Amino acid sequence: MTTATAVLREMRWWDIDPVLELEHELFPDDAWSTGMFWSELARARGPRATHRYVVAEDPDGRVVGYAGLASAGDLADVQTIAVSRSHWGGGLGSELLTDLLRHATAFECAAVLLEVRVDNTRAQKLYERFGFEPIGFRRGYYQPGNIDALVMRLTVQGTETD
Ligand SMILES: CC(C)(COP(=O)(O)OP(=O)(O)OC[C@H]1O[C@@H](n2cnc3c(N)ncnc32)[C@H](O)[C@@H]1OP(=O)(O)O)[C@@H](O)C(=O)NCCC(=O)NCCS
């Protein structure tokens, strides 16, 4: 899949360093560690994979976005999604999310959940456009700062159970 400026492909261990650079730029207060990405990627390969991690690469081979999804039984969670500031508004966030949702379907999940900071309206708008609906709050979920998380949920098409 491509946009005018980037191509999506599976995230591999050699992407962790460039992903961490973006991670620290975009989530300065609660950036993931190298070990967290290694642990997630360990679940993203092979016939029993439960996770999907994807990167977006620009024409020079630079990682300009990434996203990850974890499934457990019939529920999936958007673990992370991020796009380099210089590429915001170009549709890359939508492409990354589309990739994750396709994998949620492949993992036979009935619903996808996510947490988003209550003050992150940009990300919330992206999720709303895909049909995610707010279902509650997690108080003080983001530390430091004691920022609440809005929990959002999407029923995966074709697997509606309620
Ligand atoms: C949230 C985030 C991933 C969105 O990425 P993005 O690439 O800007 O997302 P998109 O371009 O698909 O959509 C964003 C906006 O651009 C608009 N857009 C999409 N395609 C477009 C295009 N081709 N031309 C112009 N605008 C476009 C969308 O309509 C959308 O606008 P809206 O929010 O007013 O509806 C990005 O802002 C980010 O990395 N933020 C920091 C990390 C973060 O907060 N992650 C979420 C944690 S829960």
Side-chain angles (χ1 to χ4, degrees), residues 86-100:
S86 56
H87 285 68
W88 284 8
L92 211 42
S94 307
E95 286 201 22
L96 289 165
L97 190 53
T98 300
D99 179 284
L100 296 188

Side-chain angles (χ1 to χ4, degrees), residues 26-27 64 66 78-85 87-96 114-117 120-127 129-130 142:
L26 296 167
F27 304 104
V64 292
Y66 58 94
V78 175
Q79 301 281 73
T80 186
I81 181 165
V83 170
S84 163
R85 273 197 186 83
H87 285 68
W88 284 8
L92 211 42
S94 307
E95 286 201 22
L96 289 165
L114 60 81
E115 287 95 17
V116 56
R117 287 170 64 112
N120 192 349
T121 47
R122 184 178 184 86
Q124 286 171 31
K125 271 166 59 181
L126 172 66
Y127 302 140
R129 258 192 294 123
F130 278 76
Y142 296 100

Side-chain angles (χ1 to χ4, degrees), residues 73-76 104 108-112 153-157 159-161:
D74 66 354
L75 274 186
E108 300 185 342
C109 293
V112 181
R153 180 183 189 277
L154 174 74
T155 301
V156 176
Q157 237 175 1
T159 57
E160 197 158 351
T161 52

